[in-house]
């Protein structure tokens, strides 16, 4: 099945297959003017820019009427399987309580877990599906989804089965991450090792058996999991060959980045608290054979909780790559759109529009080690792309914040 998309005024992100960009490279934009894309069985077969070269054989042809086209956005960090918003905590925080105080009093993640445990798998599926559709409509075509609002064997498995069903029903790439180590349940408050044993002995083996997780995650931070506890869990997961993606340094300088790099994690996410030692650890990671740990900033969390933004500019000045994600969740970032993240990255983190564009496309793909499939538009990669009528889209999308600039989303060359 061949399909030709033509009359594209600008085609952005036409990097070589497998590209991710570090430091100053993040400023370099590849764009083809007056472009066309030939898609064969969902994969890009050719890209061109002169009418004369346009394939002329009879095939399905789609006139994009002079619109601009970008790679589908990649959201490498979300928690979209949850039961309910936390409006009451929002009000408490607005009245002055901190995220950590609310969590220490049994709110936060534990609040979400109580609600999720009581909800059926079908209802969770419906809600998560609605959120996924919203994300697709906002241009996201690859999504990572974490568990972590279950915190019991049954409830963690329930979440991961919901994600498995989404994978079966949707053509976009969905990746699952087991985050049983998101918080200590109340009954393990004085027996933390007991909960870690539950994760290692009761949850992980079933998850591996049922192939429910592509990665493992731990909330390694002040008041949550220590570096030693994180190391213990990651060591067990590595015996099954499950790669790590870590929540690190949201609340303090607790060694999360260092333990992520030591365990060859694919990414360390949050990073609101990062100093020279953390930057040095990331640099060390990229000098190693495993391919480095991608720093992932989550500006939606900083915005919603009123905490510092990850110093992504400093990462880039140090020659590091940077990715950005929504962290879509009910507690710290109820944000579905990577377009909003793009805008926040510019206004709050002072990233240039083009740098932030790479952070939500090719570099985000790298955070999932999917840069050979998505994140750039090149021959051999998936025809996952978005169409916008916004002129000069790389500058225009983060500038006109709060609108949905996406006219159409294509996955494997099909409009969804
Ligand atoms: O990434 N930081 C840990 N986990 C989530 C939010 C958890 C919550 O408050 O529900 C995050 O921000
Ligand atoms: Fe998160």
């Amino acid at each position: 099945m061949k399909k030709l998309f033509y009359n594209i005024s600008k085609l952005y992100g036409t990097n070589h297959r497998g590209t991710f960009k570090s430091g100053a490279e993040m400023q370099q934009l590849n764009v083809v003017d007056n472009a066309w894309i030939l898609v064969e069985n969902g994969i890009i077969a050719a890209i061109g820019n002169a009418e004369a070269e346009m394939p002329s054989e009879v095939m399905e042809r789609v006139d994009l009427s002079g619109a601009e086209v970008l790679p589908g956005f990649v959201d490498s960090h979300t928690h979209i399987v949850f039961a309910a918003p936390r409006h009451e905590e929002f009000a408490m925080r607005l009245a002055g309580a901190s995220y950590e105080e609310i969590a220490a009093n049994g709110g936060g993640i534990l609040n979400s877990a109580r609600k999720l445990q009581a909800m059926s798998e079908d209802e969770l599926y419906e809600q998560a599906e609605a959120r996924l559709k919203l994300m697709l409509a906002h241009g996201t075509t690859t999504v990572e989804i974490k568990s972590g609002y279950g915190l019991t064997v049954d409830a963690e498995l329930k979440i991961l089965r919901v994600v498995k069903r989404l994978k079966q029903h949707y053509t976009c790439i969905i990746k699952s991450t087991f985050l049983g180590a998101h918080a200590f349940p109340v009954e393990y408050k004085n027996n933390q090792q007991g909960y870690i044993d539950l994760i290692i002995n009761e949850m992980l083996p079933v998850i591996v058996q049922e192939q429910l997780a592509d990665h493992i995650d731990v909330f390694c931070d002040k008041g949550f999991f220590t570096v030693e506890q994180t190391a213990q869990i990651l060591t067990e997961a590595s015996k099954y060959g499950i790669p790590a993606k870590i929540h690190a340094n949201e609340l303090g300088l607790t060694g999360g980045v260092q333990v992520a790099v030591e365990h060859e994690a694919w990414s360390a996410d949050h990073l609101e608290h990062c100093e020279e030692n953390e930057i040095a650890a990331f640099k060390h990671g990229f000098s190693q054979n495993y391919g480095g740990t991608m720093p992932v900033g989550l500006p939606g969390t900083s915005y919603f909780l009123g905490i510092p933004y990850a110093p992504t500019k400093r990462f880039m000045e140090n020659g590091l790559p940077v990715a950005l994600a929504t962290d879509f969740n009910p507690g710290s970032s109820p944000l579905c759109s990577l377009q909003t993240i793009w805008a926040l990255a510019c206004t709050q983190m002072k990233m240039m529009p083009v740098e932030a564009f790479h952070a939500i496309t090719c570099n985000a793909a790298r955070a999932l080690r999917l840069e050979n499939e998505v994140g750039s538009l090149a021959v051999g990669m998936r025809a996952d792309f978005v169409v916008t009528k916004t002129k000069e889209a790389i500058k225009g999308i983060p500038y006109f914040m709060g609108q949905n600039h996406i006219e159409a989303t294509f996955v494997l060359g099909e409009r969804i």
Side-chain angles (χ1 to χ4, degrees), residues 77 79 86 89 99 103 108-110 112 146 149 179 182 219 221 224 247 250-251 269-270 272 298 301 305 327 329-333:
H77 182 142
H79 309 244
R86 304 211 298 260
E89 294 183 7
Y99 178 81
I109 295 165
L110 298 182
S112 283
K146 299 174 193 295
Y149 290 128
L179 176 56
H182 201 188
F219 187 9
D221 219 317
F224 290 85
H247 277 74
E250 175 185 0
L251 307 170
D269 306 27
H270 271 294
E272 288 85 349
L298 306 172
T301 306
L305 295 185
D327 195 17
N329 78 74
S332 65
S333 185

Side-chain angles (χ1 to χ4, degrees), residues 339-356:
Q339 295 171 62
T340 311
I341 294 301
W342 191 348
L344 289 175
C346 296
T347 59
Q348 307 303 302
M349 294 164 141
K350 310 299 174 205
M351 290 176 74
M352 288 296 153
V354 61
E355 293 169 334

